[in-house]
Amino acid sequence: MFIDGRQVPDGTIIDTDIAIIGAGAAGITIARELTGKDIRVTLIESGGLQFEPESQSLYEGESVGVPYALDSSRLRYFGGSTNHWGGWCRPMQPIDFEQRDWVPHSGWPITYDDLAPYYERANDIAQVGPVRYNDTDWWSDDGKNKILPLPGGEVTTRWFEYSPPTRFGQFYRKAIEKAPNVQTYLHSNVLEIVPTANAAMVDHLRIGTLSGVRFEVRPKLVILATGGIENARVLLMSNSVAKAGLGNDNDVVGRYFMEHPHVDKPVEILLTNPEIVAPYYKTYTKLNGAQIRAVFMFTDEYLRAQRRLGTVMTFYESKDVRADDTYDERGISENRSLEPDILQMIRSTNATPAEDGALGKRYGTGCATEQAPNPISRIMLSHSKDALGLQRTKMDWRLTTDDRTNLRKNLEALSRAFGQWGGGAVKILFKDKDRWDEAEGWGNHHMGTTRMSADPRKGVVDANCKVHGMDNLYVAGSSVFTTSATVNPTLTLLALAHRLADHVAEKFTRGA
Amino acid sequence: MSNNQEHAHEGHPAISRRNLLILGGVAIVAGALPVTFLALEPDNSHFANDLMSLLAEPDAAARLGTEWRKVATIAREPAVIASSIGKRLNPHGWHNQGTPEELREALKAAIVRDYANNDMVSISGWQIARTSAELCALAASLSGDSTGDEAAPAAHAEHG
Ligand SMILES: Cc1cc2nc3c(=O)[nH]c(=O)nc-3n(C[C@H](O)[C@H](O)[C@H](O)COP(=O)(O)OP(=O)(O)OC[C@H]3O[C@@H](n4cnc5c(N)ncnc54)[C@H](O)[C@@H]3O)c2cc1C
């Protein structure tokens, strides 16, 4: 059932078993998983069923680090940011969960194997194809598609699969609305998670609407699922009892904010033989029950040996390069003028003379890269207030020289791979400088602000996503990521949401 | 710029593009007429010629070599450059009497080794194996390129 919070009588108190705050990818997934169980679920959503500027403006805030758009990088209505996500899906790699001694603050308290079965369910709910993310044979289409044979063992081809992209708010709306045990409150903002006097348990949730209604939800268990930035903000704002905010005894809430810095054209690639580039490298390709795209990633062996963090690289056709290209005459920028020469060089040493002047093709690239967890990259509360009277978000996103160097070194590894193969060459365009002073781009991926760690001094939630020091407060979403990996976060947060749903359902079955 | 550049080379017959093609036997893409190559030191001239003969388009290599010279301190004498390339090939079984095909294979293997050993140089951002880059520098020197002759940086300025 959907209830408009603006119609709820002021001062109402609602008792429930589980309150889920936020109806985005994580919240809807958990509500769906709990549907039909003997558990009363209350789903509390800030927005309505459509975009409304008034609700959206609650997401505005200050950015004081690497410039970041707090507002347009997420959506505040039923379905959350899946109302405009791109659907890129790929699980993290096992190495991403490990403690890597060269990555400070790395190491999840769970492993890839703990999450593997839930990735399958995540694939289902996001309507992605078969779980074949690393399966070269599966995507070979009976031998028609071949991966580029890049030698050296540093770079490898892997695949993303696409969600249609599922708009969770539209696709699962009916199921949530009809779920007999789920009540959804729309236009209802959690203003504060109010704990008991000793701050060891959630007592109730203070809810408010933009029209001025105030009511309470009294749950036995709470799952905070308001997105990777807002999860931290809500915990920090919940400070009427614990002055530093909930789960923040060790000053970790909001810290370690991570994104995936995105760089457009970090390199360009020239290939002498474009014929051998399988379609799945160049664009979204429908194949064997899925929509896929091949990417270049870096092998575990390379990452370990060179002590690097990962990068994902996409690759697309740009332009034919011909021997008779006369760049200066056609006014094409001077930096293109060496392209025929580079291809001639490769062809000379390879003994593959050009025919009809066609020397090869230029390819553009894009990349997303892993940033190391960094405690000073963080979400805080601003002094300015939103329309509900709550402190807005203040974001201080930090990227370091090491993060830049890491990407640069990975681009050099890519250059080595193409060079050793002998069929191409790589031009590094990513600037060799210290600072990320202008945001080169990002992925709208908000991670790390309520990070998972077995040690309460180093993380906000434990391996079950329960807030350290609190009996009945859990967090869902990419804010729990300990490290960011390089792949888009939603499939992993959906896997974690399934795991959390099972965990809390079991608690209630056993008697909460 | 290294001291090697102080030596001038004169008096040896120019190598025509046509000669290079005959030597190499590689199919060539039609292009502008080549630059006139300057002289080689007698000892290494044979090897330098052999190397040049592998190039489909010596002018293309020379342009890359010239570009590299703008940011890096590289020997100017063809003999020195050829000898440096030879040193990369010899320990791996190349002997100066090989056929052009054997030379090409040896060169190819050296390029693969360079990349594997991260021995790359940057030519306008292009990540090029040092052996290939030296081949380009050789072509540039033979074409009479004088880039970098003036105001040579004292230190090794290469971004490879
Ligand atoms: C343009 C864009 C493209 C993207 N593309 C991809 C992609 O291709 N692949 C990928 O993996 N990820 C992508 N993402 C990220 C993806 O959308 C998020 O990872 C995902 O939606 C996060 O799910 P969530 O449930 O944690 O948060 P959200 O989906 O953001 O949901 C949070 C919900 O909480 C509600 N809420 C917030 N505060 C409160 C409050 N105080 N009280 C009550 N409710 C509240 C919000 O209204 C919202 O409905 C993209 C994001 C954007 C913006």
Side-chain angles (χ1 to χ4, degrees):
Chain A
M1 194 201 318
F2 283 157
I3 300 156
D4 188 331
R6 294 170 299 191
Q7 311 302 326
V8 173
D10 219 31
T12 298
I13 295 175
I14 298 154
D15 282 312
T16 190
D17 291 329
I18 297 180
I20 303 170
I21 311 172
I28 287 177
T29 297
I30 295 168
R32 205 170 149 268
E33 287 297 306
L34 297 176
T35 295
K37 297 204 178 341
D38 190 16
I39 302 169
R40 290 170 302 156
V41 176
T42 302
L43 180 58
I44 305 155
E45 168 54 43
S46 164
L49 294 171
Q50 306 291 334
F51 178 85
E52 290 164 35
E54 298 76 23
S55 308
Q56 185 64 24
S57 72
L58 298 171
Y59 267 162
E60 287 164 12
E62 262 182 86
S63 167
V64 296
V66 178
Y68 200 84
L70 280 163
D71 174 16
S72 61
S73 65
R74 50 210 177 129
L75 283 176
R76 193 161 171 136
Y77 66 102
F78 191 73
S81 301
T82 67
N83 286 300
H84 63 176
W85 78 312
W88 289 69
C89 287
R90 205 189 133 71
M92 291 184 178
Q93 289 290 113
I95 191 175
D96 295 322
F97 295 86
E98 292 174 14
Q99 180 169 6
R100 292 165 280 168
D101 62 12
W102 64 98
V103 182
H105 313 290
S106 63
W108 295 50
I110 58 172
T111 65
Y112 174 85
D113 288 342
D114 291 325
L115 219 47
Y118 301 100
Y119 269 128
E120 305 221 354
R121 285 161 64 184
N123 245 45
D124 280 348
I125 198 164
Q127 301 176 284
V128 185
V131 183
R132 298 280 183 177
Y133 291 94
N134 295 342
D135 193 337
T136 309
D137 289 341
W138 182 263
W139 306 121
S140 80
D141 200 16
D142 293 329
K144 284 197 262 323
N145 296 325
K146 293 205 168 52
I147 58 166
L148 292 182
L150 298 179
E154 297 187 324
V155 180
T156 186
T157 295
R158 294 185 185 133
W159 288 266
F160 271 81
E161 295 186 34
Y162 290 92
S163 165
T166 306
R167 307 280 173 228
F168 280 61
Q170 290 165 30
F171 196 80
Y172 295 112
R173 175 178 161 177
K174 280 230 159 63
I176 297 289
E177 193 172 10
K178 291 200 169 127
N181 62 325
V182 179
Q183 290 200 322
T184 303
Y185 286 83
L186 299 170
H187 294 112
S188 302
N189 298 279
V190 170
L191 309 177
E192 182 175 4
I193 302 172
V194 184
T196 51
N198 63 358
M201 281 191 73
V202 176
D203 183 69
H204 66 274
L205 308 176
R206 225 160 38 80
I207 317 278
T209 69
L210 283 168
S211 60
V213 175
R214 297 291 180 267
F215 59 100
E216 271 180 33
V217 172
R218 294 188 169 269
K220 292 184 180 147
L221 186 150
V222 177
I223 298 173
L224 176 62
T226 54
I229 295 170
E230 215 62 10
N231 282 349
R233 180 183 176 215
V234 171
L235 290 179
L236 291 171
M237 285 184 326
S238 299
N239 56 7
S240 62
V241 176
K243 293 301 167 204
L246 291 183
N248 201 24
D249 291 351
N250 295 296
D251 189 21
V252 185
V253 173
R255 292 190 181 273
Y256 300 95
F257 174 76
M258 295 172 287
E259 246 285 3
H260 291 132
H262 276 49
V263 181
D264 185 33
K265 284 217 200 90
V267 301
E268 283 182 338
I269 300 175
L270 288 176
L271 296 187
T272 52
N273 182 8
E275 304 297 311
I276 70 165
V277 181
Y280 52 50
Y281 280 109
K282 295 179 278 191
T283 186
Y284 314 105
T285 306
K286 271 206 163 125
L287 196 62
N288 291 346
Q291 180 109 342
I292 58 163
R293 177 100 186 238
V295 292
F296 298 121
M297 291 178 73
F298 295 86
T299 62
D300 291 1
E301 295 73 26
Y302 162 78
L303 297 173
R304 287 186 210 288
Q306 302 297 324
R307 302 171 72 76
R308 299 263 155 254
L309 291 88
T311 301
V312 169
M313 313 242 359
T314 54
F315 175 68
Y316 56 88
E317 274 183 344
S318 173
K319 198 181 166 302
D320 288 327
V321 179
R322 300 186 49 81
D324 45 12
D325 279 342
T326 48
Y327 291 103
D328 37 354
E329 281 166 26
R330 286 197 273 139
I332 296 171
S333 65
E334 199 189 321
N335 62 9
R336 299 260 173 246
S337 65
L338 293 180
E339 288 177 358
D341 301 342
I342 294 283
L343 285 165
Q344 287 284 22
M345 262 307 291
I346 300 171
R347 287 181 168 281
S348 294
T349 40
N350 264 350
T352 53
E355 282 163 25
D356 307 327
L359 292 174
K361 212 175 204 98
R362 183 201 315 144
Y363 292 79
T365 60
C367 81
T369 199
E370 181 177 8
Q371 77 165 113
N374 178 357
I376 64 169
S377 180
R378 65 189 291 206
I379 304 296
M380 296 168 279
L381 297 179
S382 153
H383 292 302
S384 73
K385 297 207 169 149
D386 68 14
L388 292 162
L390 303 172
Q391 283 177 272
R392 290 191 181 278
T393 303
K394 177 170 167 182
M395 175 186 280
D396 187 358
W397 179 28
R398 300 289 183 99
L399 291 166
T400 65
T401 306
D402 284 352
D403 294 324
R404 271 194 96 86
T405 305
N406 185 75
L407 174 55
R408 174 109 200 155
K409 294 289 175 193
N410 288 349
L411 301 176
E412 287 173 11
L414 188 81
S415 311
R416 290 196 288 276
F418 275 93
Q420 283 181 76
W421 172 41
V426 172
K427 176 178 190 175
I428 298 185
L429 300 169
F430 182 61
K431 294 204 178 63
D432 199 2
K433 59 179 188 184
D434 286 347
R435 286 170 55 83
W436 301 75
D437 37 14
E438 81 278 8
E440 322 242 7
W442 60 76
N444 304 300
H445 305 157
H446 310 141
M447 300 165 286
T449 58
T450 64
R451 68 200 312 260
M452 191 189 278
S453 171
D455 182 346
R457 288 165 309 165
K458 296 179 179 164
V460 177
V461 301
D462 66 13
N464 289 319
C465 297
K466 188 179 76 61
V467 173
H468 284 295
M470 299 212 52
D471 278 353
N472 61 348
L473 178 58
Y474 290 79
V475 182
S478 47
S479 62
V480 305
F481 291 9
T482 312
T483 48
S484 68
T486 50
V487 298
N488 305 48
T490 306
L491 196 73
T492 298
L493 78 84
L494 292 175
L496 285 163
H498 280 93
R499 185 167 168 271
L500 176 56
D502 283 6
H503 177 74
V504 297
E506 198 191 316
K507 266 175 114 60
F508 274 84
T509 318
R510 284 195 276 115
Chain B
M1 188 79 46
S2 71
N3 292 334
N4 299 327
Q5 286 174 316
E6 289 161 16
H7 305 287
H9 303 285
E10 304 172 344
H12 293 282
I15 306 163
S16 76
R17 172 191 173 91
R18 193 156 169 280
N19 284 339
L20 291 172
L21 301 188
I22 291 163
L23 281 166
V26 177
I28 295 293
V29 178
L33 272 177
V35 288
T36 302
F37 288 109
L38 294 178
L40 297 170
E41 276 186 9
D43 284 350
N44 272 303
S45 64
H46 174 66
F47 183 50
N49 284 349
D50 287 351
L51 286 168
M52 287 298 98
S53 74
L54 298 179
L55 297 177
E57 179 65 62
D59 283 352
R63 278 191 294 271
L64 292 173
T66 301
E67 205 58 34
W68 188 30
R69 280 238 161 85
K70 288 181 185 164
V71 295
T73 307
I74 316 145
R76 181 154 297 280
E77 295 88 343
V80 175
I81 306 171
S83 139
S84 167
I85 296 172
K87 278 185 202 147
R88 294 168 183 281
L89 310 188
N90 292 336
H92 298 275
W94 164 252
H95 52 90
N96 289 350
Q97 281 77 44
T99 65
E101 258 333 289
E102 285 168 336
L103 177 57
R104 190 192 303 282
E105 284 309 311
L107 211 51
K108 215 162 127 181
I111 290 167
V112 170
R113 269 196 310 278
D114 286 350
Y115 278 117
N117 296 329
N118 200 30
D119 195 1
M120 301 184 290
V121 306
S122 176
I123 303 183
S124 291
W126 291 102
Q127 304 299 299
I128 304 296
R130 185 170 298 277
T131 305
S132 301
E134 288 189 345
L135 207 54
C136 295
L138 179 62
S141 281
L142 290 169
S143 74
D145 165 48
S146 59
T147 307
D149 274 356
E150 290 159 30
H156 190 70
E158 184 183 307
H159 299 298

